[in-house]
Every structure is written in C-alpha cells, then in structure tokens.
C-alpha cells in the first residue's frame, strides 16, 4: 500500500508541475527531473527502485508505438540515410569514444567495463528528445530525424551493451557473431512487427465501428508485440516501431474522423502520464544511487560524468556535420538517390547535434547491470557505473534541455535576419 501511495503522490506532483512548467516557460522534463531529485532527498521517503524489465515493458512499447504512429512516413523515408547514420554508426562511435576516455580517465576501469559504460550512454532517448523539442517550432524535417533516430538506436545500444557485459563476465567477443546477432535482432524485430501489424489490421478492419474496442486493441497490441519479440529473442523496440508505422498507414485509410479524434485524445493522456512519470523517476534515482558511492568520491565522479557528457556531445556534433558534408557530396554526384530534401543545413545540423539527450533507456540499462559475475564475485565498479550514468543523464536532460530553447531562438533570429550564422556567433 505504501508503494501505491508513492506512485499516486508522484503522479499528483507530476501533473501539477507540468501545469507550472507552461507558466514559467521551462521544458517540463527539466522541472520534473529537478523535482524528482528534491523529492528523493526527503528523509522519510522510501527508496524507489526501478526494475529494468518493468521499465522496458511499461514505458517503451506505448511510447515507441505512439511516436512511430505519428511520424511522417514520407519525411522519414526521405531522411532514412541520416536517421540510419545516427541510429547505428553514431551509437557505436559514441560507445567506443566514451570507452576510450573512461579507460584512461577512471582508475580501475578496464576495457570491458569502459565499453559497458559507453554502451549504456551511447543512444539518445526518444522520450527526452520529443518532450524537450516539443513546442520549440523546429522544422518538421528536424523533428522527424530526431524521432526516427531515437526510435531505432535503442536496438543498437542494447546489442553493444550485451556484448560488453559478456566481455566483463569472461565471454569472448567475436565481431562476426556481434554483427550477425545485430542483424538478427533488427530483422527479426521487423518481421514480428509486420506480422503483428497484419493481425491488428485484420482485427481493426472488422471492428472499427466499435471505437472502444478498436482503441483498446491499439493500446494492448504494442505490449503484446514487444513481449512476443523479446520472447523469441529479437528486438522488441524495432517490433513496436514497425507496428506503429504500419498501423498509422492503415488507419489513414479506414479510420473515420470521429475514431481518429477519440484515439488521439486517449493516447495524448496516456503519453502525457508516462512521459511525466519517467522524468520524475529519473530524478528520484539520483539520491538513491548517491548513497552507494563513497561520499569523498561523489564530486570526482560528477566530474567524470561532466567530461563524458562533453565527449558524447562533441562526437555527436562531429558525426552530424560529417553527415551534412557527405549528403552534399552525394547529392552533387547523384549518388545513393539523395534528394535536395534530404540535405542538412547549418541550423538543422546544430539543433540535431544539441538534441542528443540521454534518458530512461540508459538509466534502465545501467540499473539492470548484473550484481555478480559467473564465478559469484561482485560485478566490478557496478555502483560507480550506475552513478556516472545517472549523472550523465541529468547533465544532458537539464543542461541541453535548458539551453536548447535558447539555441533555437538564437538560430531563428539569425535566419530571420537573413544572416548565415557562424559557429562562433552562436557560442
């Protein structure tokens, strides 16, 4: 009963703070995270522990499905080259870059442990990106690239994480096996997603006159799809995304306007509650994990987290601007069928670079680290890795979340003045 009371208390706080965020013109994720940190330090509040499997099951399927359902398929397809680059190659570049820095910076951080931390923090978060950029007036193209990247990159990060943890526990890392497993996870997830799309489409086609039943099936199916995919050891993330994309195209043909409006209102409430709960829970984890770190080492590890945040941001900027140049060269040479709509300008590139926030997926992966190795010994530096992960999540969400609106306004002002901004103008 005490746990239920805490959940109700958190939901009430979340709803109230979301309303306040609109008044004070702050991104509501930033306000909710800050409140979560403050609430977590209340002495009489019991520790709120997150079960990673529950986090993945409760939050990921509906949020990924809804984001995929509402994404513009045509814009997604036009920018698939950039989305794929950010969702796959950038994830592994970021994991490797963070691994190199942490290996030489943090005492006792072996190469396998460094890659574990790198994999945990390698992917941006769909919920964070969409929540913080919402209402900033970003172009449809920029929003689609950010959402598309966040929908796919979780699968890349989870593959990197699994092999890094296997290396820590003594299992040999084989490149061709990692590549094959990645392909199977993605391909299998797509197949499950397509199969469940066909099943749900068949059901909706015959019951769409009953709006309550139709909306209920659409709510249930992302969870079913995710569970089936995970049960057969393929990517539940990709399966949920494919389901959302497929049902979006199908619903445009068969849904009457009344059902579309009812469905949208229902999903808006569900997504609002889940989003808010996620950010409060992220904030609550900081006081919890700080108790497991030597008090004399806390600020040192906060410093490590800040350095890792900067490294991840610089790697992202380098990859995005490299992609900008690659697209321009491919367009000029007529390669890979790159259209003019797929090109990136300076403004889009900088906003995309700055929008690489980490969130609930990184947090859940970190907390899901095994406590013991195969031989029964303690997993090395487990508390330190979790603490650094939480710190980096907080730095990206609060730091980039607060500065992103300012950056967008600055870039827009330059654009309105018909002046091409230089990077030193922004900084």
């Amino acid at each position: 009963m005490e746990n239920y009371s805490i959940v109700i208390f958190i939901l009430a706080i979340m709803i109230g703070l979301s309303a306040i965020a609109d008044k004070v013109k702050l991104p509501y994720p930033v306000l909710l995270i800050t409140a979560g940190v403050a609430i977590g330090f209340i002495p009489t509040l019991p520790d709120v522990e997150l079960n990673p499997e529950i986090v993945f099951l409760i939050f990921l399927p509906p949020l990924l499905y809804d984001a995929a359902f509402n994404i513009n398929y045509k814009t997604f397809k036009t920018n698939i080259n950039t989305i794929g680059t950010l969702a796959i190659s950038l994830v592994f570049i970021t994991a490797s870059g963070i691994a190199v820095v942490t290996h030489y910076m943090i005492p006792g951080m072996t190469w396998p442990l460094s890659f574990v931390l790198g994999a945990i923090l390698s992917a941006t978060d769909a919920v964070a990106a969409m929540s913080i950029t919402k209402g900033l007036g970003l172009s449809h193209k920029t929003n689609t690239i950010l959402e598309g990247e966040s929908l796919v990159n979780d699968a890349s990060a989870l593959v990197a994480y699994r092999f890094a943890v296997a290396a820590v526990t003594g299992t040999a890392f084989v490149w061709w096996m990692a590549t094959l497993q990645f392909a199977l996870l993605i391909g299998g997830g797509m197949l499950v997603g397509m199969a469940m799309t066909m099943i749900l489409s068949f059901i909706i086609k015959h019951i769409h006159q009953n709006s309550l039943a139709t909306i209920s099936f659409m709510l249930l199916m992302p969870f079913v799809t995710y569970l089936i995919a995970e049960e057969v050891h393929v990517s539940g993330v990709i399966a949920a995304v494919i389901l959302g994309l497929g049902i979006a195209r199908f619903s445009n043909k068969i849904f009457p306007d009344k059902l579309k409006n009812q469905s949208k209102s229902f999903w808006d409430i569900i997504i609002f509650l889940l989003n808010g709960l996620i950010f409060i829970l992220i904030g609550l984890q900081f006081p919890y994990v700080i108790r497991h770190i030597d008090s004399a080492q806390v600020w040192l590890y906060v410093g490590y987290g800040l350095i890792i945040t900067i490294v991840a941001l610089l790697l992202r900027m380098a990859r995005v601007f490299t992609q900008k140049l690659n697209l321009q060269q491919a367009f000029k040479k007529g390669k890979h069928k790159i259209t003019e709509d797929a090109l990136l300008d300076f403004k889009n590139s900088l906003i995309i670079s700055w929008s690489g926030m980490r969130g609930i997926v990184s947090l859940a992966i970190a907390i899901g680290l095994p406590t013991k190795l195969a031989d029964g010994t303690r997993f090395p530096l487990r508390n330190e890795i979790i603490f650094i992960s939480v710190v980096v999540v907080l730095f990206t969400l609060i730091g980039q979340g607060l500065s992103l609106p300012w950056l967008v306004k600055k870039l827009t002002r330059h654009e309105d003045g018909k002046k091409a901004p230089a990077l030193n103008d922004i900084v």
Side-chain angles (χ1 to χ4, degrees), residues 123-141:
T124 58
D125 186 72
V127 180
M130 289 180 285
S131 298
I132 289 178
T133 57
K134 185 178 180 181
L136 294 182
L138 301 186
S139 69
H140 188 66
K141 174 181 178 175

Side-chain angles (χ1 to χ4, degrees), residues 329-375:
Q329 292 175 0
F331 176 70
K332 290 177 182 177
K333 296 177 181 178
K335 291 182 178 180
H336 310 299
K337 297 180 180 179
I338 300 297
T339 64
E340 190 173 358
D341 291 337
L343 299 179
L344 298 173
D345 59 18
F346 179 87
K347 176 184 175 181
N348 285 337
S349 299
L350 192 54
I351 291 173
I352 291 168
S353 298
W354 207 262
S355 301
M357 283 75 72
R358 273 62 183 172
I360 194 68
V361 173
S362 294
L363 193 61
I365 294 174
I367 294 172
L369 278 172
T371 55
K372 293 182 179 180
L373 303 179
D375 59 3

Side-chain angles (χ1 to χ4, degrees), residues 247-299:
I247 295 301
R249 301 185 72 186
F250 172 79
S251 64
N252 286 333
K253 301 175 184 177
I254 196 171
F255 276 21
D257 289 339
K258 180 182 177 183
L259 181 55
K260 287 181 181 178
N261 293 332
Q262 286 180 319
S263 177
K264 185 179 185 307
S265 299
F266 176 80
W267 275 98
D268 283 348
I269 294 171
I270 294 294
I271 299 306
F272 167 74
L273 292 174
L274 289 177
N275 276 344
L277 192 56
I278 280 175
F279 293 117
I280 286 277
L281 290 174
I282 289 174
L284 282 170
Q285 292 311 295
F286 183 72
Y288 173 71
V289 298
I290 203 172
R291 298 185 188 113
H292 296 84
I293 297 291
D294 182 359
S295 58
Q297 300 289 313
V298 167
W299 287 110

